[in-house]
Amino acid sequence: MLKLAKLTDYATVLMTVLAADPLSWASAQELAERSHLSLATTSKLLKQLAKARLIEAARGAHGGYRLLRAATQITVADVVDAIEGPIAVTECSIHAGGCSIERSCGTRANWRLINTAIREALEAVTLAQMAAPLRRSGNESPLTFHPRPASAPPARE
């Protein structure tokens, strides 16, 4: 199963809480309560998100945390990168030299293609979209995904 780490999921929840009131400063305690996460987890994630320059921190009685950029300018890929590092389906899809069969592997290029598709999908969804209230009925999806057109012509069969 391909899945994101639980902390990445929690970081996305935390970022959507910040996006709900982007101009206000919120303390770690307030954010923990609003996101229903423990204070320890919230504090850990806030440090990682600040280090990645997705949020800013201010000390003092009126300080706290808030988004550094507009929610429309932060993507799910940004949050994943901040918590997990570069998006990679396989080691060879981002780093060369980590596999003993790399030179003879017939699937490496395809894994890179898949990795790129996943990255583009995560880049196509903004924090603003993730934070929007779900206004849907039935099977309607709350997000709309429009992948970029392929730059290479389709392969002939």
Side-chain angles (χ1 to χ4, degrees):
M1 173 184 347
L2 178 67
K3 71 179 195 174
L4 296 173
K6 192 177 286 191
L7 283 178
T8 305
D9 184 23
Y10 292 166
T12 306
V13 169
L14 193 56
M15 291 291 285
T16 60
V17 169
L18 286 165
D21 193 7
L23 300 178
S24 298
W25 293 92
S27 71
Q29 181 65 45
E30 291 169 327
L31 292 168
E33 290 170 7
R34 286 195 239 159
S35 63
H36 306 283
L37 298 171
S38 72
L39 180 58
T41 297
T42 299
S43 297
K44 177 180 180 174
L45 291 171
L46 289 170
K47 287 177 188 170
Q48 289 179 277
L49 294 166
K51 184 178 178 181
R53 311 237 345 112
L54 295 178
I55 62 171
E56 61 183 324
R59 295 178 186 234
H62 300 290
Y65 299 89
R66 69 179 180 185
L67 297 180
L68 194 57
R69 303 187 309 252
T72 57
Q73 300 300 312
I74 299 171
T75 68
V76 174
D78 294 328
V79 179
V80 173
D81 285 344
I83 306 303
E84 296 193 31
I87 296 164
V89 177
T90 61
E91 184 70 26
C92 69
S93 62
I94 59 166
H95 297 294
C99 179
S100 63
I101 65 166
E102 186 174 306
R103 290 180 185 247
S104 62
C105 181
T107 64
R108 184 173 184 213
N110 290 324
W111 280 120
R112 284 186 171 185
L113 177 65
I114 293 166
N115 199 74
T116 299
I118 291 170
R119 173 139 199 104
E120 287 178 0
L122 294 173
E123 287 174 345
V125 180
T126 68
L127 184 58
Q129 289 172 302
M130 293 292 285
L134 295 180
R135 295 186 185 116
R136 59 184 172 150
S137 59
N139 294 332
E140 187 180 339
S141 173
L143 299 176
T144 303
F145 173 64
H146 301 286
R148 297 180 197 157
S151 57
R156 290 186 173 171
E157 291 188 41

